[in-house]
Amino acid sequence: MPNLVELIKKAAIEAVDTSKPTAVVFGTVVSTSPLKISVEQKLTLTEEFLILTKNVMDYQTQISFDNPSIKQVFTTWNMSEISESTPSKLSFKESIEHDVTIYNALQKDETVILIRLQGGQKYIVLDKVVM
């Protein structure tokens, strides 16, 4: 006959398992359009169950060269018409701002880190795993 302590431990573990607390899991991108991520080989998550972060999406941002410490850039020119390449200094006299696109969208077969939200209905796709 099991003792009382063992029964309490078992009941506590079952209560935690059924509440599906937050957990970190790994998944693999199966498809990008529509987005599908396979988790633990038995569960495939579709877009309605996923919350994407900027780390796994294409997005636009703005860059600028207005910091005085980076206004002078050293580079080496390599032009076929010139027999030698010499270091050259470029100087920006004014602030330069430019829109850029960061291409971070998920690709098929990439491994991702997900956080399963309490209840297990939604998953935050936190980042890509780099191997």
Side-chain angles (χ1 to χ4, degrees):
M1 180 178 220
N3 66 31
L4 183 59
V5 172
E6 292 299 319
L7 288 173
I8 292 172
K9 282 182 185 177
K10 184 177 178 184
I13 290 170
E14 288 174 1
V16 168
D17 286 345
T18 57
S19 71
K20 295 197 182 232
T22 302
V24 175
V25 295
F26 292 91
T28 302
V29 178
V30 178
S31 167
T32 58
S33 185
L35 181 59
K36 293 181 183 178
I37 297 177
S38 174
V39 179
E40 301 169 358
Q41 296 182 355
K42 59 185 175 186
L43 174 64
T44 299
L45 302 170
T46 55
E47 289 180 19
E48 64 263 20
F49 298 104
L50 301 171
I51 300 169
L52 303 180
T53 63
K54 198 182 267 192
N55 293 338
V56 295
M57 298 172 60
D58 290 347
Y59 65 95
Q60 286 197 332
T61 191
Q62 199 171 63
I63 61 170
S64 67
F65 295 99
D66 55 0
N67 182 336
S69 67
I70 62 169
K71 280 191 176 184
Q72 294 184 340
V73 178
F74 288 89
T75 186
T76 300
W77 299 96
N78 188 6
M79 298 170 28
S80 58
E81 303 90 35
I82 300 174
S83 62
E84 294 180 15
S85 292
T86 58
S88 302
K89 182 170 68 170
L90 299 176
S91 294
F92 299 109
K93 296 184 191 259
E94 57 194 51
S95 175
I96 297 174
E97 294 182 0
H98 191 69
D99 290 333
V100 294
T101 301
I102 306 299
Y103 295 102
N104 253 3
L106 294 171
Q107 301 298 317
K108 188 176 184 310
D109 297 326
E110 284 184 315
T111 301
V112 292
I113 303 168
L114 302 101
I115 298 176
R116 184 186 68 207
L117 299 180
Q118 188 148 359
Q121 294 300 312
K122 292 276 189 177
Y123 289 75
I124 298 172
V125 185
L126 192 60
D127 210 343
K128 302 174 187 183
V129 175
V130 179
M131 294 189 200

